[in-house]
Amino acid sequence: MHPPGGATALTAILNGQGYMFVLEPVLLGVVVLLAVALLVHWCRGGGCYPTYWF
């Protein structure tokens, strides 16, 4: 495991939190990373992104 993923899981277990404690930070991180990637792509004058989702 990479350290941030292990720390998130370990924190959830040690504090007696449920699955939502793990899902919320992970989901937030994914949304932020996708938003930054799209912003950089659009600022660089890229074409249609993504071409397809599946």
Side-chain angles (χ1 to χ4, degrees):
M1 282 193 282
H2 67 291
T8 302
L10 184 62
T11 303
I13 291 171
L14 291 177
N15 290 328
Q17 303 292 325
Y19 287 108
M20 289 307 294
F21 179 80
V22 176
L23 291 179
E24 288 173 359
V26 172
L27 182 61
L28 178 64
V30 168
V31 168
V32 168
L33 285 173
L34 180 61
V36 169
L38 289 172
L39 183 67
V40 168
H41 180 75
W42 289 332
C43 288
R44 293 181 65 200
C48 181
Y49 180 80
T51 323
Y52 57 89
W53 285 99
F54 298 101

